[in-house]
Amino acid sequence: AANRMDIEWLDNGHFLIGTTQGENREQFMAFAEMDYLGKIYNYYTPENGYSFEFQILSNGNIMMAGGDRPIYFTEQYIHELNPKDGSKVSDLNLSKIIKEVDPTFPEKYLGPAAIRNGFYYNEKNGELLVSFRDIGAIFSFDYKKAKLNWVFTDPNGECFKNEVWKEYFIIPETGRYPY
């Protein structure tokens, strides 16, 4: 297994580090709790996999990116995991929400081809920001209500040609958008 993407520091002096069983982006599977000397204290293989990033929540749970299954997933998810027993507490199917807004959204960008770069969950207001590299977009979701708030992307992008997106676009004064 190799280090893959994110590292999060824990209050106990350990850190969480993502692992993969190969070099392809769809092979992210698990992450480990380790110390500086490399001792592994916990190894998590979530039922829905792990991909790219995680965040430690104030309740001690771990929010992570993943899919509808661990390898070769076809839908993008954000999951909350209980680190005490590795169980899933909650999840948000990002692909489902996007398809509810736009049923014509290209399928290839709902799985690993979207390259979900990162996310940030604001526990105070429930907003989940998610960056997708290959479609050049930042989405804002309401995690608890499972709905889309807005999208910051070039409105002329190939994935956003459907008129339904107009009500969700953030239009900057500079005319500059994410790549």
Side-chain angles (χ1 to χ4, degrees), residues 66-79:
D68 53 341
R69 56 184 172 262
I71 302 176
Y72 306 114
F73 59 90
T74 58
E75 295 182 343
Q76 300 274 350
Y77 275 79
I78 301 292
H79 306 276

Side-chain angles (χ1 to χ4, degrees), residues 3-8 16-19 25 28-31 46 48-57 62-67 73 76-81 94 115-121 128-133:
N3 166 39
R4 208 56 173 174
M5 305 314 275
D6 200 10
I7 296 175
E8 289 288 322
L16 296 176
I17 187 166
T19 65
R25 65 181 169 207
F28 300 136
M29 294 179 54
F31 58 97
N48 294 90
Y50 151 76
S51 176
F52 278 96
E53 188 168 20
F54 37 75
Q55 176 181 338
I56 309 301
L57 301 178
I62 303 164
M63 184 169 271
M64 75 187 80
F73 59 90
Q76 300 274 350
Y77 275 79
I78 301 292
H79 306 276
E80 183 178 345
L81 178 113
L94 306 179
I115 307 184
R116 180 194 51 248
N117 268 353
F119 73 87
Y120 172 73
Y121 179 58
L128 175 70
L129 296 174
V130 185
S131 168
F132 288 89
R133 182 182 342 151

Side-chain angles (χ1 to χ4, degrees), residues 4 6 11 13 27 40 43 50 58 81 91 96 103 111 121 124-125 139-140 169 174:
R4 208 56 173 174
D6 200 10
D11 291 339
Q27 292 180 327
I40 296 175
Y43 189 84
Y50 151 76
S58 60
L81 178 113
D91 64 23
K96 179 181 175 191
Y121 179 58
K124 290 186 172 112
N125 66 11
F139 288 89
S140 168
F169 287 144
T174 63

Side-chain angles (χ1 to χ4, degrees), residues 92 142-147:
L92 183 66
D142 183 314
Y143 187 84
K144 294 189 186 332
K145 294 180 182 175
K147 70 178 194 74

